[in-house]
């Protein structure tokens, strides 16, 4: 593939807003791969409940978002779009200097399905980069199906995770992290200025899922 | 896949702006599949040159854009973004009632690579739908590599073509047409309002191609 990726096996992973299905799904997969995972929420008890729901014996625990942001080596932002900016503004100092992985999809829904919302900064990831000017913001994990991540019967997840960012060491680290999920490849997908269409593509995947009764993902060919 | 696609083998295909590499590549593949193909250009002689360049014995000929728009059963729009609106405005009556397939990617380029341009109507395909209010506009063929389409050594093209539109019969027809190219599946990808990110995704593919020295395409998993 032309990418030399770093060894990330010792890194701990925090997931802000980790009580939603996508956050829990990622938490489960990274914990199964051997990472210490911290699930963050506004409420420590809800975070711990989410951690407990993943089953016994996994290295996952819950805490309030600020503790998770301080403690984890890498922090994934998995909050609903509504609370995205305000959460990040509240955690600027905790996230200073860290790799912050934004996987938020700004979508609206109506009776015709999902559609992309306009974002002043261009995309959720670019908004994160503006708010967290002292962090290393990477965009990734937009298209992973929470259903598949959470299903213990699914041993391999059949998709590529597109990883976008302007800091090559940070994108390489997140590519390596994505590749810790069996079946997944972390593929470099361009700079942050091209994140909008990756986030918005989730609306198309929702249309595809509805038409084909699938949990659709992407694979990049010839890579 | 949950789709019953129509038989499109008898349809003739016109390609407006078919003298560029993408137009010629599509022309070659459809002609090899047995379709009569009309390559359109402002100049009939340049159109005929493009047809001749595809080699002898193929059912391809060149003509001026208005003749192609009138004669072909299905018309593909493969012009550069710059001339998109004006070309379509000039062919409104010729294209009335027809399936018009837009594959134009509004992109800009600078030293950091490609990026998506803003389009007043949302996307090239939505602009086509506004201008051609009497046609059945479908968006497709954004991500096919002209290099692979034109390479006679490449027997199968390893990608899915996402087909977007608001007219189910028209999207089904174009899905069937895409599937005439060996290796390709035509997959429904959502409504026209979600076309922007499919067009813009071409910028990401350009980044991927550069990083991995590839001719990258997409496959949709679980479909």
């Amino acid at each position: 593939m032309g990418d030399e990726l770093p060894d990330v096996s010792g890194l701990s992973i925090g997931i802000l807003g980790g009580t939603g299905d996508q956050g829990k799904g990622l938490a489960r997969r990274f914990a199964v791969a051997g990472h210490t995972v911290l699930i963050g929420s506004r409420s420590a008890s809800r975070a711990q409940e989410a951690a407990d729901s993943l089953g016994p014996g996994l290295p996952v625990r819950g805490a309030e978002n600020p503790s998770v942001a301080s403690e984890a080596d890498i922090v994934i932002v998995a909050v609903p779009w509504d609370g995205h900016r305000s959460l990040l503004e509240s955690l600027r100092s905790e996230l200073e200097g860290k790799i912050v992985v934004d996987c938020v999809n700004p979508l609206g829904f109506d009776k015709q399905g999902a559609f992309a919302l306009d974002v002043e900064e261009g995309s959720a990831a670019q908004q994160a980069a503006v708010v967290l000017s002292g962090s290393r913001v990477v965009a990734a994990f937009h298209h992973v199906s929470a259903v598949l991540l959470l299903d213990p019967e699914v041993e391999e997840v059949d998709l590529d995770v597109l990883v976008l960012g302007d800091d090559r060491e940070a994108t390489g680290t997140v590519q390596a992290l994505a590749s810790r999920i069996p079946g997944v490849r972390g593929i470099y997908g361009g700079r942050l200025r091209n994140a909008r269409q990756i986030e918005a593509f989730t609306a198309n995947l929702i249309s595809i899922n509805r038409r084909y009764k699938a949990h659709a993902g992407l694979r990049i060919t010839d890579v």
Side-chain angles (χ1 to χ4, degrees), chain A:
Chain A
M1 283 189 6
D3 261 355
E4 289 284 332
L5 300 180
D7 177 9
V8 296
S9 57
L11 298 180
S12 64
I13 299 165
I15 304 181
L16 304 176
T19 57
D21 280 345
Q22 199 192 12
K24 281 196 292 187
L26 289 171
R28 179 175 170 278
R29 293 287 168 171
F30 289 129
V32 169
H35 292 275
T36 297
V37 177
L38 308 170
I39 289 183
S41 169
R42 272 177 297 187
S43 140
S45 63
R46 283 192 55 226
Q48 189 57 46
E49 272 169 38
D52 293 341
S53 78
L54 299 178
L58 290 175
V60 188
R61 60 190 169 79
E64 287 182 13
N65 283 322
S67 313
V68 169
S70 300
E71 284 183 44
D73 294 320
I74 293 189
V75 177
I76 297 174
V77 183
V79 293
W81 168 239
D82 268 356
H84 184 260
R85 183 198 293 270
S86 61
L87 178 78
L88 297 182
E89 283 173 345
S90 74
L91 297 174
R92 265 199 202 112
S93 58
E94 289 86 346
L95 294 171
E96 180 91 20
K98 296 199 185 197
I99 294 176
V100 175
V101 186
D102 204 295
C103 64
V104 173
N105 297 312
L107 298 181
F109 294 86
D110 62 19
K111 62 187 176 184
Q112 293 192 334
F115 58 94
L117 297 175
D118 281 329
V119 177
E120 188 187 334
E121 295 84 354
S123 62
Q126 287 165 292
Q127 181 180 93
V130 169
V131 173
L132 304 174
S133 54
S135 302
R136 304 164 75 188
V137 174
V138 171
F141 300 113
H142 304 90
H143 306 146
V144 288
S145 156
V147 174
L148 298 184
L149 291 176
L150 284 168
D151 185 345
E153 306 276 299
V154 175
E155 290 184 11
E156 300 216 334
V157 181
D158 183 13
L159 59 80
D160 291 335
V161 164
L162 293 170
V163 178
L164 289 84
D166 300 336
D167 172 335
R168 181 144 181 176
E169 193 197 6
T171 55
T173 298
V174 177
Q175 285 174 253
L177 193 64
S179 302
R180 301 278 292 168
I181 302 174
V184 170
R185 299 187 305 172
I187 304 276
Y188 174 71
R191 290 175 172 270
L192 275 194
R193 68 176 181 176
N194 283 318
R196 182 192 200 274
Q197 52 265 31
I198 304 303
E199 297 170 2
F201 190 80
T202 305
N204 301 77
L205 286 172
I206 290 169
S207 300
I208 292 168
N209 287 343
R210 186 187 284 195
R211 172 68 63 92
Y212 296 100
K213 304 189 195 333
H215 298 295
L218 290 186
R219 285 285 189 195
I220 303 294
T221 59
D222 200 37
V223 167

